[in-house]
Every structure is written in structure tokens, then in C-alpha cells.
Amino acid sequence: MNKKEYLLSLLYPRRCPVCHEIAAPRGSLVCPACEKKVSFVKEPTCLRCGKEIAAREIEYCYDCSRRERSFTQGFALAVYDETMRQSIRQFKNGGRLEYADWYAAALWERYQQPLRQLAADGLAPVPLHRSRLSRRGYNQAEVLARRLSRLSGIPVWPKALVRPRKTVAQKYLGARERSQNLEGAFAAGRQSVAGRTVLLVDDIYTTGGTAEACTRVLLRAGARQVAVINVCIGENDG
């Protein structure tokens, strides 16, 4: 920690993304004891989305074995359990943007080698509709993408995707309704992705509907391939 960061930590103490109290020791991204409460994704994982699976011989999770996937692979940090649900809620709706520092650092530490092998040309955050962006004040996926960019050197492409149609929050819908809800929700933006490898960035992956919808738009816009990276991922239903 440099002098400027130390002074800022005194004025604006960083909160732990797990217990939401001031992180100890001061300046830490997460309390060491709290980090042990996180259910990090363990091998074996689905070869397509990155969810935990029961055995390596299965290869794909229940969702990926039943649904077409256009993205090539997925990376995720932690299982979306109650601990991480509270963490993401504070990051997403509570203004705790500093939580993204730990999310990004943990993702990069875990997946640095395969991400280098992927050689993504840009990070494309899943966009918010302008009404939700105005209400929240920030796009949590873009905040995460910018933190990942600092560590990886991969540029952020915030205009690769746009969200012209407002949708109902996916968490309130069933599988079929989720698919219908996302029809026409995303479109290609001003950033050209033609011939490029794109890493799609979001906070949560559950059934993969949002990731698939965004991936199809990027591929139609000429992207060579799309992979996805998320802070949290749902459990395998199969």
C-alpha cells in the first residue's frame, strides 16, 4: 500500500465484502477469517459454464447439457449462496463499489493462466437499461470489468453491448419466462468486435440466459469467440 492509498484508507476505511464491517487488518480487501466463509468454486466444473459438477466424467452441468451454448467457456469465483448473495446485494445496490477490488483480485489470482491463454481482446460488461443505470448510478458489471482490466491489461469495451429494452429482473422468473424476457433485450453497440475474442463480464451467472443472449449478439456482430466471467455462479441443478 502506497502513502496515498494509506491516507485514503484512514479517511475512508474499506469494508469487507463478506461481513460488511471495516476490513481487518486495515487496508485489506477482505478479512482473512471472512474469506474462509466463501464457498469458492471447486473442481470438477462444467466444461462450458464453470459450475461445479459431481464428477469429471459428466463434463457438463444440468443446464449446459440441456441448452445450446454459444460461449466457449466460463469462469466463476464463488457459489451463489447466502454469504455471496449478501455480498453481491451490497455491491449492486448498496454502493459498495470497493467490493469489486476483491472480486477482481480473487478472479485474477485463480484464473490468470487460462485467461492469458484465452487472449481476450476486450472485456464487455453486460449492460444495464438506461433507466436502471440512472436509478443505481453505476453498472456493477462495468465496475468489475474495470477492476479486472487494471490487473489483466485487457481493455474494457463498455459500448460493445447496449440494452435497448427494459426487462424484469431474471430472479423473479422461471426458465421459460427468463428466455422470453431477454428476447431483444441486448443489441450490438458502437464498439466493433469483428474478428475479436470477447470476455463477457457480469456479477452473477444462474441459468446462463443473460450470458447466452449477450453472446449471440456479439457473435452476430462478428466476434470470433466469446467467453464469460462472473463473480458468482449458481449450483448445478442436476
Side-chain angles (χ1 to χ4, degrees):
M1 185 186 301
N2 59 38
K3 185 177 180 180
K4 181 180 179 181
E5 290 172 332
Y6 176 73
L7 291 173
L8 285 173
S9 73
L10 292 177
L11 293 171
Y12 307 102
R14 178 184 291 277
R15 297 276 173 171
C16 169
V18 179
C19 70
H20 315 295
E21 301 297 331
I22 294 174
R26 186 178 289 272
S28 300
L29 298 182
V30 63
C31 300
C34 291
E35 191 170 24
K36 294 177 181 178
K37 300 175 183 177
V38 177
S39 297
F40 293 102
V41 172
K42 300 182 292 296
E43 295 288 344
T45 57
C46 173
L47 295 179
R48 189 52 57 92
C49 73
K51 279 185 182 180
E52 291 181 350
I53 52 178
R56 198 171 299 277
E57 294 75 18
I58 297 173
E59 294 190 346
Y60 299 107
C61 70
Y62 179 72
D63 283 326
C64 288
S65 66
R66 295 171 61 247
R67 295 184 174 94
E68 181 182 355
R69 299 301 193 205
S70 302
F71 50 86
T72 56
Q73 60 187 127
F75 308 95
L77 179 65
V79 175
Y80 191 47
D81 58 10
E82 188 57 32
T83 295
M84 288 307 296
R85 187 172 288 107
Q86 294 297 330
S87 182
I88 292 294
R89 183 177 298 153
Q90 289 297 317
F91 170 54
K92 202 170 183 173
N93 301 310
R96 291 293 174 194
L97 276 62
E98 72 267 30
Y99 289 7
D101 291 329
W102 176 65
Y103 299 154
L107 280 165
W108 184 242
E109 180 180 4
R110 182 183 180 109
Y111 295 115
Q112 181 174 165
Q113 183 175 349
L115 288 174
R116 289 193 185 281
Q117 292 174 345
L118 178 68
D121 296 293
L123 302 171
V126 172
L128 293 179
H129 185 267
R130 62 182 178 274
S131 63
R132 187 164 295 168
L133 180 61
S134 176
R135 185 168 62 253
R136 185 175 296 164
Y138 59 93
N139 176 3
Q140 74 280 356
E142 184 176 340
V143 172
L144 176 62
R146 294 198 180 279
R147 300 304 196 277
L148 277 171
S149 178
R150 292 177 191 173
L151 297 169
S152 66
I154 306 169
V156 181
W157 291 345
K159 301 300 181 183
L161 290 164
V162 294
R163 196 164 191 157
R165 190 171 72 80
K166 188 176 181 180
T167 56
V168 177
Q170 291 284 88
K171 63 183 179 181
Y172 300 122
L173 305 174
R176 181 175 297 179
E177 292 172 313
R178 287 183 180 213
S179 178
Q180 294 172 344
N181 185 48
L182 291 171
E183 288 181 7
F186 302 101
R190 296 195 301 270
Q191 170 67 51
S192 174
V193 298
R196 307 294 187 88
T197 293
V198 181
L199 184 58
L200 183 69
V201 182
D202 205 2
D203 53 345
I204 307 166
Y205 179 110
T206 49
T207 62
T210 298
E212 181 62 24
C214 289
T215 296
R216 291 182 182 184
V217 169
L218 291 166
L219 292 175
R220 285 198 297 269
R224 185 169 68 86
Q225 67 169 321
V226 179
V228 299
I229 189 165
N230 304 270
V231 177
C232 293
I233 196 162
E235 296 181 272
N236 185 15
D237 294 328

